[in-house]
Amino acid sequence: MLSDKKSVVSRRKFLDLTAKGTLATTAIISGFPTIVPASVFGKNAPSNRINVAAIGTGRISRGHDMPGVWQYDNALIMAVCDLDSNRAEAAKQLVNGVYAKKTGKDYDGVRVYTDYRELLLNKDIDAVLVSTPDHWHAPIVIDAVRAKKDVYMQKPASLTIAEGRMMADAVKKSGQIVQVGSQQRSSEQFRYAAELVRNGRIGKLKTVYVGLPGDPSGNEEPQMPVPKNLNYDMWLGTTPEVYYTEKRVHPQADFDRPGWLRCEQFGAGMITGWGAHHIDSAHWAMNTEYTGPVEIWGKADFPKHGLWDVHGIFRTEAMYENGVHMIVTNEIANGVRFEGTEGWIFVSRGDAAVTASDPIAKQNAAKKLDASDPKILTSVIGPNETHLTVSKEHHGNWLESIVSRKEPIAPTEVGHRSCSACLLHHAAMKLNRKLYWDPKKEQFKNDPEANKLLSRPQRAPYAIKMMASAK
């Protein structure tokens, strides 16, 4: 199929088309029926295939998100999109190769885009993977659900709390299925740890320790010519215009860990990078998935020079309305430790990582799950106790939800609240004083300086267009 590289769709035109209903999905694409609600095809439908497009085709997409989808026969990756045309073409070759191997014959069914707004105009696409840098998560998800696409989005949910709220409201209003990439919810040890805590196996929960990996600072980097294959202005998106240098963006020669992960312009660093996973797992066990802390304080070291400027060594703390005290730091083992009045439980990924270049503390490799008493870990959750949702694989759970139209295991509001908690810890790092948070209003109490951190100015023409709230 031919590449779509001819026209550029402005955000204003795209949103106008969306509002007029131009972006409704259709049932059939050449030879590959899509999944829409079961009532459309009936139980004797010739196929159950969901047409998926990948937006952002770098490290996390190639190593995690696209493989997460192409393993299922009821899904078809039919399109790829990246602002780096070399990466978009490489993704096309990768996916075509996978399907050629699956079918045992030549395959060339993947369409290439370099502007996601053009991709969303394709009525044959049912769902999208959003595997972009953090600052593009919320804008693309908002546009996608307004275009009536279901979405699997990488965490963290947003760059700011205000963007996250806009995104969660847009998803709720749309009725689309959105899965946040908090895949620890689909890991057996994290679910079991949460069930043990919720069912009182360590007594009354008192303290939660969240250990994160760290990120090093870097050197000053010279200005470089923008590669012809990269739409750098759009890559910057809503954030300020700054000069191009390769270590600010992503490697041109390979798919190793990109430099933007260590630039505050595009994300907050490990506090949201891994914090979105571990704080989400903590919230699951604490039964605080739809709220947040009420007090936050702490401190952090920030680089005084160099391109990479996210936090270094840090320790932040928070209190929740239920009395649980959370401590988040990169000076302890990577994982989550729950301490109660009658014991403790520690849970981690062990030596598992999302991709080969994903940082993880190797000292955790021996224990995915540990406890103060081994008997805690053999406890059976009874039929009348709290049982959490079981998901064997995160992308599979998303695809199942698309078919059933039931909420996935990591819905948007939950992902927003986890990300918000991370960003509250980041605000405490920045202000270096105690902050008081209202989880219902999603505002700091009597603190105009702190409330300025809830949003950032958005650069035209990429600013998110406001629509009526779903609240």
Side-chain angles (χ1 to χ4, degrees), residues 56-229:
T57 59
R59 174 190 72 124
I60 206 73
S61 182
R62 294 172 65 92
H64 182 62
D65 287 334
M66 289 195 292
V69 170
W70 72 44
Q71 67 180 308
Y72 295 101
D73 291 337
N74 71 327
L76 175 77
I77 299 177
M78 61 162 286
V80 295
C81 177
D82 202 286
L83 292 172
D84 186 325
S85 60
N86 287 350
R87 288 189 161 205
E89 187 62 31
K92 174 186 175 180
Q93 298 303 323
L94 174 66
V95 179
N96 278 339
V98 167
Y99 288 132
K101 187 175 181 180
K102 272 193 168 190
T103 60
K105 53 188 177 182
D106 290 343
Y107 186 88
D108 189 23
V110 178
R111 192 166 188 167
V112 175
Y113 294 84
T114 54
D115 188 326
Y116 80 90
R117 297 168 299 190
E118 293 182 4
L119 180 152
L120 293 180
L121 291 169
N122 187 333
K123 299 176 183 179
D124 296 319
I125 293 170
D126 303 307
V128 296
L129 299 167
V130 178
S131 312
T132 64
D134 296 358
H135 65 293
W136 265 112
H137 289 177
I140 294 176
V141 172
I142 289 171
D143 283 348
V145 298
R146 289 175 182 171
K148 307 309 290 182
K149 312 296 186 189
D150 297 318
V151 181
Y152 182 104
M153 65 172 297
Q154 266 300 318
K155 56 78 223 164
S158 62
L159 186 66
T160 68
I161 292 176
E163 282 184 6
R165 172 44 54 207
M166 290 172 63
M167 182 188 69
D169 287 349
V171 171
K172 181 178 180 181
K173 185 173 184 177
S174 74
Q176 296 303 121
I177 299 297
V178 177
Q179 174 91 296
V180 179
S182 302
Q183 70 266 20
Q184 288 178 177
R185 286 179 173 252
S186 295
S187 296
E188 184 178 7
Q189 74 266 27
F190 283 95
R191 185 191 75 250
Y192 184 48
E195 288 179 335
L196 291 172
V197 173
R198 283 216 196 182
N199 288 295
R201 297 303 193 271
I202 57 172
K204 181 176 176 56
L205 182 63
K206 304 294 288 185
T207 308
V208 178
Y209 287 89
V210 175
L212 307 179
D215 253 331
S217 60
N219 299 320
E220 301 290 347
E221 297 293 337
Q223 183 170 355
M224 301 168 65
V226 178
K228 292 181 180 179
N229 50 286

Side-chain angles (χ1 to χ4, degrees), residues 184-185 187-197 208-212 274 277-285 332-339 344-351 360 364 367-372 377:
Q184 288 178 177
R185 286 179 173 252
S187 296
E188 184 178 7
Q189 74 266 27
F190 283 95
R191 185 191 75 250
Y192 184 48
E195 288 179 335
L196 291 172
V197 173
V208 178
Y209 287 89
V210 175
L212 307 179
W274 269 76
H277 286 303
H278 287 345
I279 289 180
D280 178 68
S281 294
H283 280 183
W284 207 16
I332 61 176
N334 180 12
V336 187
R337 179 181 168 104
F338 302 97
E339 296 187 350
W344 58 262
I345 293 170
F346 175 79
V347 62
S348 79
R349 295 191 194 180
D351 59 358
I360 187 166
N364 293 346
K367 294 274 188 178
K368 289 184 178 180
L369 193 61
D370 200 5
S372 52
L377 303 183

Side-chain angles (χ1 to χ4, degrees), residues 300-321:
D301 293 334
F302 287 89
K304 295 181 173 57
H305 58 81
L307 175 71
W308 292 332
D309 57 359
V310 295
H311 66 82
I313 294 172
F314 79 100
R315 180 187 172 99
T316 53
E317 305 182 45
M319 288 296 299
Y320 286 73
E321 196 169 20

Side-chain angles (χ1 to χ4, degrees), residues 9 11-24 121:
V9 180
R11 188 175 180 87
R12 181 185 299 275
K13 181 179 178 183
F14 170 81
L15 291 170
D16 287 344
L17 289 170
T18 306
K20 293 174 183 177
T22 308
L23 304 176
L121 291 169

Side-chain angles (χ1 to χ4, degrees), residues 210-273:
V210 175
L212 307 179
D215 253 331
S217 60
N219 299 320
E220 301 290 347
E221 297 293 337
Q223 183 170 355
M224 301 168 65
V226 178
K228 292 181 180 179
N229 50 286
L230 176 64
N231 183 347
Y232 182 59
D233 181 74
M234 191 173 183
W235 187 91
L236 289 171
T238 63
T239 76
E241 186 174 353
V242 290
Y243 71 81
Y244 172 83
T245 188
E246 186 172 342
K247 288 190 177 180
R248 193 195 303 278
V249 186
H250 56 247
Q252 284 293 307
D254 55 41
F255 297 94
D256 283 347
R257 193 164 184 262
W260 64 261
L261 282 164
R262 286 173 268 188
C263 296
E264 280 206 329
Q265 181 168 343
F266 314 114
M270 280 297 182
I271 188 62
T272 53

